[in-house]
Amino acid sequence: MGPHIVSAFDDDLTMIEAKISEMGGLAEELLASALEAVEKRDTALAEAVVARDAKLDALEMEVEEMATNTIALRQPMAQDLRVLISAVKISSTLERIGDLAKNIAKRAMTFSRSKPFRLTSSILRMGRATQAQLTEVLNAYSARDTEAAVAVWRKDVDIDEMYNALFRELVTYMMEDSRMIAAGAQMLFIAKNLERVGDHTTHISEMVYYIRKGEPLGDDRPKGEPLGLDLE
């Protein structure tokens, strides 16, 4: 590449990275707001999460178009090509995290109409752990820190174990008090969505590793075996 092409390519990368950063910040914000809506039983906040998710969808399309055009026009070398491919995959992952936050917000709307639920604090504890994992992996991506990315990848088993413990607790609670079945079911779906956010953070970890190392992270990640509720 000549100097002008290199400069233009660097500009393209900078713009794409800025879009990814914006998406990451918005995904964090939507997840935090969805959990706050659960905690405060705040229907208006939940509705705002559902409305704002459309922005993430639009940003994902922008990243995909920019990355595709850059690959076609600049014909990047191996490492830069990995950055662009990873940008598309990470933007898609962040869009899915936004969808999961939206799902939590929708459940929060229904949940807010039932009486206070004893296990809300357990859900929020799992939510905070999931939020922390998302922040850690986004920081790892920004810094291209493979060590931090691998740490997140390995730590997701903690989220899986929290989900399984919560699943058992909720099912027991619903069996003991049939009046809690409707609210408990909403909580089960919220917990499952959080568990899936955790899975998506590990996918971002894998992309960080791939950018730097040029090879997959591997398939030996410690995993819990999530109980019940297939949402696919």
Side-chain angles (χ1 to χ4, degrees), residues 168-186:
R168 292 189 186 98
E169 202 175 357
L170 282 164
V171 169
T172 302
Y173 192 44
M174 288 187 288
M175 287 171 67
E176 288 172 355
D177 186 350
S178 61
R179 293 168 301 174
M180 292 292 104
I181 288 175
Q186 299 304 325

Side-chain angles (χ1 to χ4, degrees), residues 122-166:
S122 299
I123 281 278
L124 295 171
R125 188 163 58 250
M126 183 181 177
R128 283 191 288 273
T130 310
Q131 283 179 278
Q133 193 160 297
L134 177 58
T135 298
E136 284 168 30
V137 84
L138 290 171
N139 289 342
Y141 172 71
S142 296
R144 298 291 192 265
D145 185 339
T146 53
E147 209 169 291
V150 171
V152 170
W153 187 75
R154 294 197 180 285
K155 202 163 61 174
D156 184 57
V157 69
D158 297 342
I159 303 284
D160 292 341
E161 287 171 356
M162 288 176 86
Y163 169 74
N164 285 343
L166 188 52

Side-chain angles (χ1 to χ4, degrees), residues 51-70:
R52 294 201 67 207
D53 180 60
K55 176 65 175 170
L56 261 184
D57 298 345
L59 284 166
E60 184 206 2
M61 292 179 69
E62 288 175 33
V63 169
E64 185 173 337
E65 186 177 356
M66 290 164 71
T68 303
N69 288 344
T70 301

